[in-house]
Amino acid sequence: MYGGAVEKTPNAKDRLVEGTRQLLWDRGYLGTSPTAILRRSGVGQGSMYHHFSGKPDLVLAAERRSAELMQAQIRAVFTGEGTGLERIVAYLLLERDVLRGCSVGRLAGDPEIVADETLREPVRETFGVLGEHLARAVTEAQAAGELDASLRPERTAAALAAVVQGGYALARAEQSVEPFERAILGALDLLGVSP
Amino acid sequence: MYGGAVEKTPNAKDRLVEGTRQLLWDRGYLGTSPTAILRRSGVGQGSMYHHFSGKPDLVLAAERRSAELMQAQIRAVFTGEGTGLERIVAYLLLERDVLRGCSVGRLAGDPEIVADETLREPVRETFGVLGEHLARAVTEAQAAGELDASLRPERTAAALAAVVQGGYALARAEQSVEPFERAILGALDLLGVSP
DNA sequence: GTCTATAAACCGATAGAC
DNA sequence: GTCTATCGGTTTATAGAC
């Protein structure tokens, strides 16, 4: 174990986690069957139950991986160059696979995940990290005179996070990226950015 | 058949539709099994396959019922008293079972529904109706000087619809209504309402 | 119209060989 | 560690009596 960023042919365990993560993203908890995971991962059944105690254990590992990736992306955007407002705009305009949606947000719609404290935790944590970074950027933007000082940062942050998550729902309903893009542009208008 | 609003003890068909609707709302397409529908509806298996060709047919009927109810609620809000902005605020502040979420929006997260043109249609239509009413109200609010004339109504409408749908996701992640309420208040702040 | 009985496929998990 | 075989339960229907 080096613990470093050495990229190799993934072992069975990593392939299982990644396969589960992809299935969970696209088809949710109930749609992610052990059989489907094995087919996608190219791993045998015995191997899966050797590394994980069962489906919930495997799902938790996959969730933690998605949470880790999303939090890294959030940190990259909000510790990057630019003013507070520029970081907010950068977050809203991130390149996204709109019709696939958010790998973490998807989990918040799964009753089996939401009902279980342990399975819900990675989702809760990730939205917490997002909200904190957005709120801090709003505060910075206000200090710089880029945003109205009367805005409450935590509220604005929640509204902006919701626009992104809700935009995915609107887009899926029409099977088109346009509703998502309209919602993002609408949020930018309300922030006073695009005019 | 009177076609009127005569309320009676529901027949088997209506009970099946309502049972399916509730299950779909809480547990999604895969979580809504014929067996569960029968238990909740108090109807036998033969009866179900007499009235409906199968699960997709029953799900479609349930979707249309949810769409009908949500569209009626939308029309009630946007044809009510008040200025354009007041109607928008009324929509945002509607009483909602936040942790249960939106009975129609829920469907947009279901791959089995989104992938099927017929099953997706009631969702598409309902968000279309919502967007039109919101956009019209924005236009009216601009004409009355209540909202900035530079806002693009369809964009603002999409952003507001997304705040509501996304707010449900944030709330479920924390199993608390607070993130939802923060997002709504944030949207009101951005509209210049609450200060 | 509504019922019970049956069925083929799939689900999540276990057993035990190698 | 990974494999194959097997298990009891559930899913989405179909058949046929009443």
Side-chain angles (χ1 to χ4, degrees), chain B residues 96-110:
Chain B
R96 293 175 166 99
D97 189 341
V98 170
L99 289 180
R100 197 174 190 202
C102 173
S103 63
V104 174
R106 171 63 165 100
L107 307 169
D110 255 309

Side-chain angles (χ1 to χ4, degrees), chain B residues 1-185:
Chain B
M1 268 297 188
Y2 293 93
V6 184
E7 300 284 347
K8 289 200 170 191
T9 305
N11 57 26
K13 189 167 180 178
D14 290 344
R15 294 224 309 283
L16 284 164
V17 171
E18 186 57 21
T20 305
R21 200 175 81 82
Q22 299 293 330
L23 280 166
L24 217 47
W25 192 346
D26 289 331
R27 318 190 8 78
Y29 187 91
L30 290 176
T32 301
S33 70
T35 314
I37 293 169
L38 299 178
R39 194 168 33 238
R40 183 175 291 234
S41 311
V43 167
Q45 200 140 356
S47 180
M48 174 175 141
Y49 283 100
H50 171 74
H51 290 292
F52 300 94
S53 69
K55 178 173 168 175
D57 190 28
L58 190 38
V59 164
L60 181 59
E63 287 190 68
R64 287 184 169 148
R65 177 75 181 134
S66 278
E68 177 189 326
L69 290 170
M70 181 166 160
Q71 289 176 31
Q73 192 183 33
I74 291 166
R75 291 198 176 90
V77 169
F78 287 98
T79 57
E81 296 290 306
T83 66
L85 185 57
E86 282 168 355
R87 290 177 189 183
I88 293 169
V89 172
Y91 173 72
L92 291 174
L93 294 180
L94 265 183
E95 205 170 314
R96 293 175 166 99
D97 189 341
V98 170
L99 289 180
R100 197 174 190 202
C102 173
S103 63
V104 174
R106 171 63 165 100
L107 307 169
D110 255 309
E112 295 77 15
I113 286 171
V114 160
D116 183 306
E117 201 77 1
T118 306
L119 294 181
R120 185 164 55 79
E121 174 56 18
V123 187
R124 193 200 60 70
E125 179 191 73
T126 303
F127 279 152
V129 167
L130 174 58
E132 286 162 18
H133 278 92
L134 275 170
R136 194 174 313 136
V138 170
T139 302
E140 290 173 17
Q142 289 177 313
E146 298 177 309
L147 283 181
D148 194 311
S150 72
L151 294 175
R152 243 78 67 96
E154 336 74 53
R155 295 183 179 182
T156 308
L160 295 176
V163 165
V164 173
Q165 294 299 319
Y168 291 128
L170 303 184
R172 274 194 293 253
E174 293 198 17
Q175 284 296 90
S176 157
V177 301
E178 282 179 30
F180 181 90
E181 289 170 351
R182 272 201 298 275
I184 296 292
L185 290 170

Side-chain angles (χ1 to χ4, degrees), chain A residues 45-56:
Chain A
Q45 201 141 0
S47 180
M48 173 173 141
Y49 283 100
H50 171 74
H51 290 292
F52 299 94
S53 69
K55 179 172 167 174

Side-chain angles (χ1 to χ4, degrees), chain A residues 24-180:
Chain A
L24 218 47
W25 192 346
D26 290 331
R27 319 193 4 82
Y29 186 90
L30 291 175
T32 301
S33 71
T35 314
I37 293 169
L38 298 178
R39 193 167 33 238
R40 182 175 291 234
S41 310
V43 167
Q45 201 141 0
S47 180
M48 173 173 141
Y49 283 100
H50 171 74
H51 290 292
F52 299 94
S53 69
K55 179 172 167 174
D57 190 27
L58 189 37
V59 164
L60 181 59
E63 287 190 68
R64 287 183 170 147
R65 177 74 182 135
S66 279
E68 177 188 327
L69 289 171
M70 181 165 161
Q71 290 177 32
Q73 192 184 31
I74 291 166
R75 292 200 176 87
V77 169
F78 287 98
T79 57
E81 296 291 304
T83 65
L85 186 57
E86 282 168 354
R87 290 176 189 183
I88 293 170
V89 172
Y91 173 72
L92 291 174
L93 295 180
L94 266 182
E95 204 170 317
R96 292 174 166 100
D97 188 342
V98 170
L99 289 181
R100 197 173 189 204
C102 172
S103 63
V104 174
R106 170 63 165 102
L107 307 170
D110 256 309
E112 295 77 16
I113 285 171
V114 161
D116 184 305
E117 202 77 1
T118 307
L119 294 181
R120 186 163 55 78
E121 175 56 19
V123 188
R124 194 200 60 71
E125 179 191 75
T126 303
F127 280 151
V129 168
L130 174 58
E132 286 162 17
H133 278 92
L134 274 169
R136 193 175 311 134
V138 170
T139 302
E140 289 173 18
Q142 289 176 312
E146 297 176 308
L147 284 180
D148 194 310
S150 72
L151 294 175
R152 243 79 67 94
E154 336 75 52
R155 295 183 179 181
T156 308
L160 295 176
V163 165
V164 173
Q165 295 298 319
Y168 291 129
L170 303 184
R172 274 195 292 253
E174 293 198 16
Q175 283 296 90
S176 158
V177 299
E178 284 180 28
F180 181 90

